Amino acid sequence: MAVNEDSRFVWRGLLLLLLWSPIPSGSIAPLAQVLLTGAVFVLLVYLLLRVDFSSNDTANKPFRLILACWILATLFAFFQAVPLPSQMVAALSPSVQSLYSWTIPDYHDDLTWRPLSTTPGATIQTGLLIGACGAVFFLVARLARTRERIHALALTLVLIGMGESLYGLAQVGGSLSRPASGSFVNRNHFAALLAMALCVSVGLLLSRWQVGKEGTDESRAKVQLDQWAQGSPLVIAALTMLAGIVFSFSRIGLVAPLAMLALFGSLWLSGAVPGRIRLLVVGAGVVAVLLMSGAWAALEVTVERFQILEVSDRLAVREGTYRIFQSFPAVGIGLGGLVDNLPRFIPSQSGEVVDHSHNEPLEILAEGGVSYGLLFIVGLMAYWGTLIPAWLGRHDPLARGLGLGCLAGMMAILLHSFVEFPLRMPSNALYLSSLMGLGWTVIQRRSASYASESSHSYPCGVSFIRMVVLIGALIGVGLSAVAGVADLLDRAGDNFIIRTSRAVGEEREALLAESLVMYNRSVTIEPWQPSHAYRLGRAYEINAVSASPFSTSSQIFWASAAQAYGQAVQSHPANGRLQVAMAWASLQNGDIDRGRRAAQAALKLTPDDQEVQFAVARWYLTEWESLNEEDRRLTASLVQRGASEFPERYVEAVWQSMRSPGQVRSILPGDLRVRRLLLNRLTEQQYFADRWAEQADYPALRSSLPETGVRVMARGQVNSWQEPLGGATSIGPWAGMVEGWLSGGLTASLDLELPPGEVVLYIPIQGEAAGGVWPRLSLTLGGNEILAPTVLGGGWQNSFVFLSTQGGKFSLQAVLGNGAVLLENGRFIERRVRLGAIKILAPGHALRGGSVPFFFWKKAA
């Protein structure tokens, strides 16, 4: 294949890759990101093997310096992820060494090799993205050697922005109820891409404007005709992208490109530009048309958002990010590690769980320290220090106009990065890298060397730097392929887990087994990525829960889950949710000390994460009886704070863990929502004395009394573990029964004098069946029917009726609804019931007419 054909293949592949990158949610998903980085490295490897640029005239010192900084930044990321002797870790970053000492089980300072990054999996991913962005910059700067390619790349960037804008505008359909976000998850990242594309489109328009104003009258007329024909689509594209930004309601997304276009536009107008006034009038006119066509209302929404700046939370997050930098100043916490480490550094008044600092320079310092920050500063100074003076000295319309668009777009995204994190989206990062390469080549170009495709390119030679870059690119291809395969295996395992929700028996067991196979394979090929080990641990935990409690298989699964979670913690020790997962599995496996250490580490790592708080609280509640006083105070504090926000889940967790209602009542907070849920649970479990004690402590929980008669609040069988009858008052005997039995056609009655308030009636019942049918009993109290429980079995069963009344004298009557005498096996059998003495329990009163005063029954511990 000819050299030109080789470069043309790579060039077209790069353009297609740029077109694809925003589609899968900005390539933020792991699989999309590794496909993106892998494809870039494949293009770089192919070009390095087929084409040599060693004599290219743009390979000047600033360009080499920029590439060197980019390569060093990539190498720095992998240096952070490589395990080092503990002495070296302690020398370079004492805070990282200290972090390992309390987050990693069985950590020994003298024997363990650990990386400088506390999140090596995320650091490797970040390093791959940095390297891919550098490769894109290199490929664009080297391959965009003709006007045709420069225009092709610029129009591709505009086309990307145009497509995203149309998609975002179609999402909202002109509605102001929600912002446009295109294929991105975040509207600000969507607006950042459009801001760069808008600047490129304006740059192309300005270059065409200047071309149309030069030359003779006859030539100008012909050029201007072509200019209108070619410029009109660009005007439409620019207005569409501006509309997309406005409908995103992104404040910085609107301000940044307009400010940078105004700045560099002023510098451009200071040169030899004919028709300045006309240009300004035309520009103002088309923007006015856009606003009048429907964008004005969206612009008002964006302007209103400036009045509600979220200052306090973001300042707190930035303060936490700065604290990370102070703690890890030399080499940082690890690229991509802010997500795991930020929660414990955020001031306590901020309860929001965040992923980024909304300040990219500050985040760079926190994750990479001064070492990584210096590489960025040197590279940017070399780039801007070379490009801006060169642009100011150029007179070529393409270099002046499109150069303006590239410079404005790059500065807009950098300004955007001070209040957001748009470059954490892989597609935006690659877009910026291609824009930097385009800006470099269009401003640095000389017409003689750009008249045709690099004529002095020749089949590849061998050099040391070339070999180093080639090896690095091959490693990038390999790591991207490994990550992609591991992600596919995870997806397959996830699919098996989802299918288990609809399967039973052997099919469910087979699906769980298949998921374990998939997750084990992903852990094997990519052991540094904790998500694989976490999924594996979760699959083992599902197997353990599905098995019989305390069985051998259950214990084996719990042991395997603890081991898998432990491997995830080894990879990312600073992640609180991984720690708490290991804590729970270790508890179930019987390793209490390991579980306690992990639970304490989780709480320290993410003190404001509500999920972690609940999991740690549940861990301590499970071990309540064996806790010391300090741990009990910690548990009570967690419950008090969490139950006020999530009353249902905390009441349930405390109820399941405590042995007595008194312990439950003592640990829960005084929030009425919490106490009302507890009151309902006490009633369901028939702890009526504790219910009344709860109402005495919280009078607002008392229920209103019926104006007349009685109101039944609960009924049923007395729980087998309850023995409340000894603390109640006996009332009896019943009248209207024959020899203690109630037959069909008879009415048993009993006069009761009830105190006002809540009362529990305990009714012992014994039934005898006839014809295979058990008796059906009806009860009325003061003329109000109270549904009696079903009579089953020949022995005595204790039923209860919990009711509320104004008090007074009531007649309790019982009638057998299906009494009968049947002939069975040559003898007569009667369907009947026997009623024992009624026992009454009520709060704080002696019953008039009763011979024995009652007292509260409380369940023994």
Side-chain angles (χ1 to χ4, degrees):
M1 183 183 287
V3 172
N4 286 352
E5 292 177 351
D6 290 332
S7 64
R8 189 176 298 116
F9 170 78
V10 176
W11 179 251
R12 290 173 179 173
L14 182 61
L15 294 183
L16 289 174
L17 196 61
L18 289 172
L19 286 169
W20 171 81
S21 64
I23 296 175
S25 300
S27 295
I28 191 60
L31 182 60
Q33 182 172 336
V34 298
L35 288 175
L36 190 63
T37 57
V40 171
F41 287 127
V42 167
L43 293 176
L44 179 60
V45 168
Y46 183 84
L47 193 67
L48 288 173
L49 291 175
R50 305 289 296 190
V51 179
D52 181 32
F53 290 99
S54 58
S55 62
N56 195 298
D57 64 344
T58 59
N60 49 35
K61 289 182 179 180
F63 187 77
R64 292 180 183 274
L65 179 59
I66 294 167
L67 285 181
C69 289
W70 223 312
I71 293 172
L72 289 175
T74 305
L75 293 176
F76 178 83
F78 287 94
F79 172 70
Q80 282 187 316
V82 173
L84 302 173
S86 58
Q87 296 85 349
M88 184 178 296
V89 174
L92 293 174
S93 184
S95 296
V96 169
Q97 182 79 345
S98 174
L99 176 70
Y100 288 150
S101 67
W102 54 269
T103 56
I104 298 179
D106 306 322
Y107 179 75
H108 302 288
D109 293 354
D110 298 331
L111 303 177
T112 308
W113 284 46
R114 297 294 307 178
L116 289 170
S117 171
T118 61
T119 56
T123 302
I124 291 174
Q125 279 186 323
T126 306
L128 286 174
L129 183 59
I130 295 171
C133 290
V136 169
F137 170 73
F138 173 80
L139 291 173
V140 171
R142 294 304 196 180
L143 294 179
R145 305 292 295 161
T146 64
R147 283 182 175 268
E148 290 77 12
R149 286 191 176 179
I150 289 173
H151 280 101
L153 178 58
L155 291 174
T156 299
L157 298 179
V158 172
L159 183 62
I160 294 171
M162 180 73 169
E164 278 292 324
S165 298
L166 291 174
Y167 181 41
L169 292 172
Q171 282 179 325
V172 297
S175 172
L176 303 179
S177 59
R178 60 190 180 97
S181 59
S183 63
F184 289 80
V185 176
N186 188 299
R187 63 180 172 196
N188 289 298
H189 305 156
F190 165 72
L193 179 70
L194 298 191
M196 292 186 284
L198 173 64
C199 292
V200 173
S201 64
V202 171
L204 281 174
L205 283 168
L206 293 180
S207 66
R208 294 182 185 278
W209 176 277
Q210 191 170 352
V211 168
K213 298 299 180 182
E214 295 178 348
T216 63
D217 292 342
E218 183 178 353
S219 63
R220 282 202 307 270
K222 182 178 180 180
V223 170
Q224 286 177 358
L225 182 61
D226 293 338
Q227 177 189 11
W228 281 107
Q230 298 177 10
S232 298
L234 285 174
V235 172
I236 295 173
L239 292 178
T240 304
M241 287 183 280
L242 182 58
I245 294 173
V246 171
F247 275 91
S248 73
F249 307 150
S250 174
R251 294 161 293 196
I252 188 64
L254 180 63
V255 170
L258 295 183
M260 292 301 103
L261 284 173
L263 172 63
F264 286 97
S266 300
L267 296 175
W268 182 78
L269 288 172
S270 65
V273 180
R276 292 184 179 85
I277 303 300
R278 184 181 176 186
L279 174 62
L280 293 174
V281 171
V282 171
V286 294
V287 172
V289 170
L290 172 66
L291 294 176
M292 288 187 295
S293 63
W296 183 262
L299 182 62
E300 288 180 336
V301 174
T302 305
V303 172
E304 289 175 0
R305 293 190 68 240
F306 280 96
Q307 303 173 10
I308 51 172
L309 293 173
E310 303 89 351
V311 177
S312 57
D313 286 342
R314 293 197 177 184
L315 287 179
V317 173
R318 288 168 190 167
E319 182 181 344
T321 307
Y322 182 67
R323 288 181 181 178
I324 293 179
F325 170 63
Q326 288 179 312
S327 300
F328 309 86
V331 292
I333 200 70
L335 300 185
L338 193 77
V339 176
D340 284 357
N341 290 277
L342 184 59
R344 73 181 189 276
F345 287 94
I346 297 178
S348 58
Q349 64 267 23
S350 177
E352 182 184 3
V353 178
V354 295
D355 292 338
H356 294 283
S357 64
H358 294 267
N359 187 311
E360 193 65 38
L362 189 59
E363 192 161 338
I364 286 173
L365 289 174
E367 293 184 347
V370 175
S371 305
Y372 187 61
L374 285 175
L375 291 175
F376 260 82
I377 292 173
V378 173
L380 289 176
M381 288 181 63
Y383 187 87
W384 294 108
T386 303
L387 217 58
I388 291 180
W391 176 70
L392 292 173
R394 296 302 305 277
H395 301 288
D396 176 62
L398 183 61
R400 291 282 293 173
L402 185 55
L404 178 153
C406 293
L407 292 172
M410 289 182 283
M411 290 297 290
I413 198 68
L414 292 177
L415 179 61
H416 198 140
S417 297
F418 275 91
V419 295
E420 270 292 336
F421 48 98
L423 296 180
R424 298 286 165 162
M425 299 300 106
S427 62
N428 280 353
L430 257 68
Y431 196 109
L432 176 62
S433 302
S434 62
L435 194 59
M436 291 178 67
L438 178 62
W440 183 271
T441 192
V442 76
I443 293 174
Q444 289 285 87
R445 77 185 186 89
R446 294 293 181 268
S447 58
S449 61
Y450 281 72
S452 62
E453 201 168 337
S454 279
S455 58
H456 47 267
S457 296
Y458 50 86
C460 63
V462 178
S463 67
F464 175 74
I465 296 178
R466 181 191 191 86
M467 185 60 64
V468 168
V469 174
L470 179 60
I471 292 173
L474 288 171
I475 293 174
V477 173
L479 288 175
S480 297
V482 165
V485 172
D487 188 77
L488 289 174
L489 290 171
D490 278 348
R491 290 169 181 264
D494 293 344
N495 181 55
F496 287 127
I497 292 294
I498 293 172
R499 288 168 59 188
T500 59
S501 62
R502 302 186 297 270
V504 294
E506 294 182 357
E507 181 184 0
R508 175 181 170 84
E509 293 178 2
L511 290 172
L512 288 173
E514 288 294 333
S515 70
L516 291 175
V517 171
M518 296 296 107
Y519 294 143
N520 267 304
R521 288 175 179 172
S522 63
V523 170
T524 301
I525 67 174
E526 197 180 21
W528 56 82
Q529 192 58 260
S531 60
H532 311 317
Y534 175 79
R535 283 181 165 91
L536 178 61
R538 182 61 182 152
Y540 277 124
E541 187 172 338
I542 293 173
N543 276 278
V545 173
S546 302
S548 300
F550 309 110
S551 64
T552 302
S553 59
S554 174
Q555 292 303 307
I556 292 174
F557 283 132
W558 277 121
S560 300
Q563 182 180 0
Y565 287 140
Q567 183 174 348
V569 167
Q570 289 286 339
S571 300
H572 276 212
N575 189 294
R577 296 199 175 190
L578 294 181
Q579 292 278 1
V580 83
M582 186 181 73
W584 185 254
S586 298
L587 174 65
Q588 302 300 320
N589 190 39
D591 195 344
I592 307 301
D593 292 337
R594 184 184 181 93
R596 178 180 285 104
R597 177 182 176 129
Q600 292 171 349
L603 197 61
K604 188 175 180 180
L605 287 167
T606 50
D608 294 316
D609 189 321
Q610 295 165 346
E611 292 299 322
V612 169
Q613 284 181 9
F614 176 73
V616 173
R618 189 179 62 153
W619 193 96
Y620 278 111
L621 286 169
T622 304
E623 288 295 298
W624 178 262
E625 296 301 324
S626 62
L627 297 181
N628 56 36
E629 288 302 318
E630 182 180 354
D631 285 343
R632 288 193 175 192
R633 285 193 295 270
L634 171 63
T635 308
S637 174
L638 290 172
V639 172
Q640 298 268 335
R641 182 168 52 172
S644 298
E645 297 183 20
F646 303 98
E648 293 87 356
R649 66 191 313 194
Y650 275 88
V651 169
E652 179 65 22
V654 172
W655 186 268
Q656 294 296 333
S657 303
M658 295 297 183
R659 289 190 175 183
S660 70
Q663 288 180 327
V664 176
R665 293 182 56 229
S666 66
I667 197 173
L668 288 174
D671 188 297
L672 285 181
R673 295 179 304 160
V674 176
R675 309 311 295 202
R676 188 167 286 110
L677 289 171
L678 173 59
L679 195 73
N680 294 338
R681 179 51 67 94
L682 290 170
T683 305
E684 291 170 3
Q685 298 300 317
Q686 304 171 28
Y687 295 131
F688 299 112
D690 289 278
R691 171 188 170 91
W692 296 326
E694 185 74 8
Q695 289 176 327
D697 292 339
Y698 299 92
L701 299 178
R702 294 174 180 170
S703 57
S704 60
L705 301 179
E707 295 183 0
T708 59
V710 296
R711 180 173 69 245
V712 177
M713 303 172 67
R715 64 175 66 84
Q717 301 289 341
V718 176
N719 291 330
S720 58
W721 62 85
Q722 294 276 30
E723 293 296 338
L725 304 185
T729 300
S730 296
I731 302 295
W734 289 84
M737 295 192 296
V738 178
E739 297 180 352
W741 288 94
L742 179 62
S743 302
L746 298 180
T747 300
S749 62
L750 183 66
D751 291 333
L752 302 176
E753 188 169 350
L754 303 179
E758 297 178 351
V759 178
V760 184
L761 304 181
Y762 294 102
I763 310 172
I765 304 173
Q766 182 184 24
E768 289 187 355
V773 178
W774 289 96
R776 186 176 64 251
L777 188 68
S778 298
L779 294 174
T780 57
L781 181 64
N784 299 287
E785 183 176 359
I786 53 176
L787 182 64
T790 303
V791 180
L792 292 174
W796 284 96
Q797 61 185 58
N798 287 317
S799 301
F800 78 93
V801 179
F802 179 47
L803 51 87
S804 175
T805 174
Q806 287 283 357
K809 204 165 196 178
F810 296 88
S811 176
L812 179 62
Q813 295 182 335
V815 176
L816 192 60
N818 61 344
V821 177
L822 302 176
L823 180 63
E824 291 185 1
N825 299 324
R827 63 189 186 94
F828 289 97
I829 302 295
E830 183 179 5
R831 188 183 302 131
R832 58 183 182 171
V833 297
R834 175 179 290 177
L835 300 175
I838 296 292
K839 293 190 176 183
I840 301 178
L841 193 66
H845 296 82
L847 294 178
R848 295 189 301 259
S851 59
V852 182
F854 76 94
F855 55 88
F856 289 147
W857 170 84
K858 291 187 178 180
K859 184 181 179 185

